[in-house]
């Protein structure tokens, strides 16, 4: 069975690059699914997945193409309605630059470790952009967003990249997040100390956000399980998504600083 499957996979590696000539979105998506299925079959059979440079180039190119499609699909009006609109152009540029660097490294047949490092950077940049685009309601853009994520995931699986988290970096990030939450609470208190601007519910939510950020930092310092920290981070994201729309209503002198906070506070 293994020998027959190797022959089948060998045939696929020849056919797969040819499919891109059709420039058909549905065909490219199906080809990606077939490649992912091959990855799963290799794992089930206990066979090492050969790293095919042509497939990696195809995936990296598709990711870049879909990223461009994302930017083209979003109208200016849609962009301006997103809560993190000011931060999106820079995030898009960073995602584009890191994906180009990844594609170049693959083209140049650089060592797998180097390609893996560039993949991590590209994935981090993409995750940030995807977070900013989360509230978007645009089917065409959403389809391209899903395709980019799938392409990056396929590259990770093809290379066998294992993402490991540096606890020291996580501690620094959590401490920075808590500091920003503290600053936000100070701004909100100043805002609501002005006549006609007292919203107890918002102040309570911001205070709960500060507490949640502090709890996350403690969880990391106490070396709690990654899934516990991940759940706490997800909770912070949920709290932030509830708070963020209300912050945009600020019209007092604190508005500029609050808007800057909206653009930079990213759990």
């Amino acid at each position: 069975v293994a020998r027959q499957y190797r022959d089948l996979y060998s045939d696929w590696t020849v056919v797969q690059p040819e499919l891109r000539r059709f420039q058909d979105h549905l065909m490219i998506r199906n080809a990606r699914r077939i490649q992912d299925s091959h990855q799963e079959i290799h794992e089930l059979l206990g066979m090492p997945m050969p790293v095919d440079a042509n497939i990696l180039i195809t995936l990296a190119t598709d990711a870049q193409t879909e990223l461009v499609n994302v930017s083209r699909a979003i109208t200016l009006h849609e962009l301006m309605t997103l809560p993190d609109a000011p931060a999106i152009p820079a995030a898009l540029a960073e995602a584009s630059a890191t994906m180009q660097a990844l594609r170049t490294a693959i083209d140049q047949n650089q060592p797998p470790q180097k390609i893996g490092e560039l993949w991590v950077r590209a994935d981090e940049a993409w995750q940030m952009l995807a977070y900013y685009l989360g509230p978007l309601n645009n089917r065409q853009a959403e389809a391209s967003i899903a395709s980019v994520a799938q392409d990056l995931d396929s590259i990770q699986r093809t290379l066998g990249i294992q993402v490991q988290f540096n606890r020291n970096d996580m501690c620094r990030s959590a401490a920075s997040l808590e500091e920003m939450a503290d600053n936000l609470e100070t701004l909100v208190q100043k805002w609501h100390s002005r006549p006609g601007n007292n919203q107890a519910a918002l102040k309570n939510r911001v205070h709960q956000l500060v507490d949640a950020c502090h709890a996350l930092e403690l969880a990391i310092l106490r070396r709690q399980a990654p899934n516990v920290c991940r759940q706490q981070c997800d909770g912070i994201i949920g709290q932030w998504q509830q708070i963020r729309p209300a912050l945009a209503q600020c019209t007092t002198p604190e508005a500029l600083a609050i808007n800057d906070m909206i653009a930079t506070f990213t759990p």
Side-chain angles (χ1 to χ4, degrees):
V1 175
R3 181 180 300 174
Q4 291 176 324
Y5 174 68
R6 287 193 188 96
D7 293 339
L8 174 63
Y9 181 71
S10 179
D11 291 340
W12 165 247
T13 59
V14 174
V15 172
Q16 195 261 6
E18 298 296 322
L19 297 177
R20 294 195 67 255
R21 295 183 179 182
F22 294 96
Q23 294 296 313
D24 181 82
H25 183 80
L26 180 60
M27 185 174 294
I28 291 174
R29 184 172 59 186
N30 287 336
R32 187 189 304 114
R33 289 175 177 171
I34 293 173
Q35 178 62 23
D36 288 343
S37 296
H38 277 300
Q39 176 73 40
E40 293 174 1
I41 293 172
H42 273 77
E43 293 173 358
L44 289 172
L45 293 176
M47 298 167 55
M49 184 75 174
V51 178
D52 189 307
N54 290 327
I55 290 178
L56 287 176
I57 290 173
T58 298
L59 292 170
T61 302
D62 289 345
Q64 286 183 292
T65 300
E66 293 295 350
L67 181 61
V68 172
N69 290 341
V70 170
S71 62
R72 289 177 176 173
I74 303 173
T75 66
L76 180 60
H77 174 72
E78 289 173 331
L79 177 63
M80 296 309 296
T81 60
L82 294 175
D84 294 303
I88 290 176
L92 180 61
E94 179 67 13
S96 179
T98 54
M99 287 189 191
Q100 178 59 51
L102 175 61
R103 164 67 193 276
T104 299
I106 295 172
D107 277 339
Q108 295 175 349
N109 197 28
Q110 294 191 19
Q113 182 178 353
K114 178 64 175 179
I115 295 175
E117 292 172 356
L118 291 172
W119 177 88
V120 170
R121 295 178 187 174
D123 187 63
E124 288 177 348
W126 167 249
Q127 294 294 341
M128 181 67 70
L129 177 61
Y131 172 77
Y132 289 150
L133 297 176
L136 186 66
N137 185 18
N138 179 317
R139 289 188 177 181
Q140 184 178 353
E142 289 170 4
S144 292
I145 289 170
S147 293
V148 174
Q150 290 167 3
D151 285 328
L152 289 174
D153 182 64
S154 294
I155 292 173
Q156 179 188 13
R157 296 180 65 184
T158 300
L159 289 172
I161 298 171
Q162 299 293 328
V163 180
Q164 297 181 346
F165 297 98
N166 185 302
R167 193 169 291 271
N168 290 331
D169 289 342
M170 291 174 64
C171 285
R172 284 192 290 269
S173 296
S176 176
L177 198 65
E178 182 183 4
E179 182 180 1
M180 286 191 288
D182 279 330
N183 292 337
L184 177 62
E185 184 174 31
T186 300
L187 288 170
V188 170
Q189 288 174 347
K190 288 182 179 179
W191 167 22
H192 288 149
S193 67
R194 300 180 185 278
N197 291 287
N198 189 15
Q199 299 182 38
L202 178 58
K203 288 193 292 185
N204 288 337
R205 285 182 177 177
V206 173
H207 184 71
Q208 290 170 0
L209 178 68
V210 174
D211 288 343
C213 291
H214 179 65
L216 174 62
E217 183 183 13
L218 287 179
I220 296 171
L221 288 171
R222 292 170 180 171
R223 308 186 74 82
Q224 293 192 12
N227 64 312
V228 173
C229 298
R230 190 178 299 112
Q231 289 174 0
Q232 289 181 303
C233 192
D234 288 343
I236 292 173
I237 291 174
Q239 289 176 287
W240 174 243
Q241 289 175 338
Q242 291 180 351
I243 292 170
R244 188 170 51 182
L247 296 176
Q249 298 174 8
C250 179
T251 57
T252 64
E254 291 76 31
L256 181 60
I258 287 177
N259 287 333
D260 287 341
M261 187 69 69
I262 291 174
T264 56
F265 187 93
T266 306

